[in-house]
Amino acid sequence: DIQMTQSPSSLSASVGDRVTITCRASQSISTYLNWYRQKPGRAPNLLIYAASSLQSGVPSRFSGGGSGTDFTLTISSLQPEDFATYYCQQSYSNIPTFGQGTKVEIK
Amino acid sequence: EVQLVESGGGLVQPGGSLRLSCAASGFTFSSYSMSWVRQAPGKGLEWVSYISGSGSTIHYADSVKGRITISRDNAKNSLYLQMNSLRAEDTAVYYCARGHSYGYENWGQGTLVAVSS
């Protein structure tokens, strides 16, 4: 199975900060990489698909990049509702896998 | 509006069985592949199973292979997960999700499965 590794596992930031989360795949996955935000007690919400495409209805402060094995999720200006856990997920193989998550907390 | 509503979760003893359902509305169900994704308490997301729109292609995670069966009834706009030989490590919130190659764009609210004696 393809292993997905996110870094950092957690971070502290303030409203208005620029935040970047990275995700590394154990083998090349082209751009079959998706990002989700999950608020406590809620289902995940798709933010970015195909590495850099913004899902409909998602604010433009979210952006994604990368290809092959290395990917990033950037939040240009952190908002109160962005304090949550973020997951990357590869959809390259028949066995999709998620990263372990990055928890974004209030500084 | 796309809606996915899971049901069927509950408390079950180790070795027991449970059948989860996911009722879909707001889209042409048969045109979309569907998946089950689970999340153990306080843990991350784990993909469990996939089924194509026609039901002809199915995949399972190694952790559940042989114990879980995914199915769908396109006439009833419903997705199912038959879970047998349940173990403590199967305890999780189970989500049904729409989508595949370009991410899971819609999720249900989840149903909790607790395996304990």
Side-chain angles (χ1 to χ4, degrees):
Chain A
D1 297 353
I2 300 173
Q3 306 302 314
M4 307 301 294
T5 303
Q6 290 180 230
S7 61
S9 295
S10 64
L11 64 91
S12 296
S14 301
V15 172
D17 282 355
R18 181 182 181 90
V19 168
T20 297
I21 298 168
T22 65
C23 179
R24 175 164 289 177
S26 60
Q27 67 180 73
S28 177
I29 57 170
S30 183
T31 56
Y32 286 91
L33 191 283
N34 312 301
W35 290 96
Y36 302 85
R37 177 180 65 183
Q38 186 179 32
K39 299 177 184 178
R42 302 289 298 275
N45 183 47
L46 180 64
L47 301 172
I48 300 287
Y49 65 94
S52 60
S53 295
L54 191 68
Q55 175 67 4
S56 176
V58 173
S60 59
R61 64 179 180 273
F62 292 95
S63 63
S67 65
T69 61
D70 294 309
F71 302 87
T72 58
L73 172 70
T74 298
I75 309 171
S76 61
S77 178
L78 207 60
Q79 298 301 300
E81 60 268 31
D82 299 333
F83 293 96
T85 301
Y86 293 82
Y87 294 93
C88 63
Q89 176 243 332
Q90 63 82 14
S91 50
Y92 178 84
S93 80
N94 289 335
I95 308 297
T97 46
F98 290 87
Q100 81 279 13
T102 295
K103 188 172 184 178
V104 177
E105 299 175 302
I106 301 173
K107 183 183 285 184
Chain B
E1 179 194 4
V2 172
Q3 280 203 316
L4 300 171
V5 180
E6 302 95 336
S7 60
L11 177 63
V12 60
Q13 292 189 337
S17 298
L18 217 51
R19 189 196 197 204
L20 307 183
S21 299
C22 173
S25 60
F27 64 103
T28 304
F29 183 67
S30 59
S31 297
Y32 288 85
S33 56
M34 299 291 295
S35 291
W36 288 95
V37 177
R38 69 183 180 183
Q39 187 169 36
K43 302 298 185 182
L45 300 167
E46 180 188 17
W47 171 82
V48 172
S49 184
Y50 160 93
I51 186 167
S52 62
S54 66
S56 60
T57 301
I58 286 173
H59 299 295
Y60 297 104
D62 286 344
S63 58
V64 302
K65 200 173 292 183
R67 301 186 298 117
I68 283 180
T69 302
I70 191 172
S71 63
R72 63 191 298 158
D73 185 335
N74 287 341
K76 294 184 177 180
N77 291 340
S78 292
L79 175 72
Y80 305 102
L81 192 70
Q82 177 66 44
M83 308 170 67
N84 300 325
S85 303
L86 283 163
R87 306 167 179 169
E89 54 265 37
D90 295 318
T91 294
V93 174
Y94 285 73
Y95 297 101
C96 64
R98 183 183 86 151
H100 181 54
S101 294
Y102 299 109
Y104 302 116
E105 56 191 323
N106 300 101
W107 298 65
Q109 84 289 350
T111 188
L112 176 63
V113 172
V115 184
S116 175
S117 54

